[in-house]
Amino acid sequence: MSNGLEARLVELGVTLPDAPAPAANYVPFVQIGDIVYVSGQISNGPDGLITGKLGDDMSTEQGADAAKSCAISLLAQVKAACGGDLNRLVRAVKLTGFVNSTADYTDQPKVINGASDFLVAAMGDAGRHSRSAVSAASLPLGVAVEIEGIFQIK
């Protein structure tokens, strides 16, 4: 993957933002050996927070875009964990996605596909990961999606 990931991000039209700072008393990531655990990243885009409730005022496609924004922030955190060198990223291991949705909404996996599809587009097979996609009655600041991730680095 090496320089390929940075080049692929450019091809995809994605510029990684600075790694978001934690909003409370926690750290944005913890590294243990070659594994980096990244705290939940909330849906945030160029115009600010991406808020809404799936099954109410937000479509599944809009939710998938929100999930992609979370994946971009996850990669920004991994880049920070690697001292700015994405060449150290080996693979995505696991995502846990939380979707702000109504009680009767059942397409949480389609929403989190926005993150999963982006990681595979950017990283190829190294972006394939295990995953959970669950509903939440609400999320911090009213955001649509929050995703945490586990990554392997070298």
Side-chain angles (χ1 to χ4, degrees):
M1 192 170 45
S2 300
N3 293 331
L5 177 53
E6 294 273 9
R8 185 67 184 135
L9 289 173
V10 169
E11 289 174 15
L12 293 170
V14 173
T15 301
L16 293 183
D18 291 334
N25 189 18
Y26 64 91
V27 294
F29 57 83
V30 171
Q31 180 180 344
I32 299 176
D34 66 347
I35 301 296
V36 175
Y37 299 83
V38 181
S39 295
Q41 302 296 298
I42 59 177
S43 51
N44 196 7
D47 299 323
L49 296 177
I50 302 169
T51 60
K53 185 173 283 287
L54 280 291
D56 182 19
D57 61 353
M58 186 172 237
S59 71
T60 299
E61 294 76 24
Q62 291 170 312
D65 287 342
K68 177 183 175 182
S69 79
C70 295
I72 291 169
S73 292
L74 286 168
L75 284 183
Q77 292 292 0
V78 171
K79 184 174 181 176
C82 292
D85 183 6
L86 270 180
N87 292 331
R88 294 182 54 204
L89 178 56
V90 174
R91 71 166 298 122
V93 176
K94 180 164 194 223
L95 299 182
T96 303
F98 303 91
V99 179
N100 184 355
S101 58
T102 61
D104 61 344
Y105 184 80
T106 59
D107 282 336
Q108 292 83 0
K110 290 180 182 175
V111 170
I112 303 304
N113 280 348
S116 296
D117 293 347
F118 169 73
L119 289 178
V120 172
M123 301 171 62
D125 283 340
R128 297 191 187 282
H129 51 273
S130 62
R131 186 182 90 177
S132 298
V134 298
S135 181
S138 67
L139 288 173
L141 306 173
V143 297
V145 181
E146 180 173 355
I147 303 177
E148 63 183 30
I150 302 171
F151 297 85
Q152 182 183 20
I153 62 171
K154 56 184 175 185

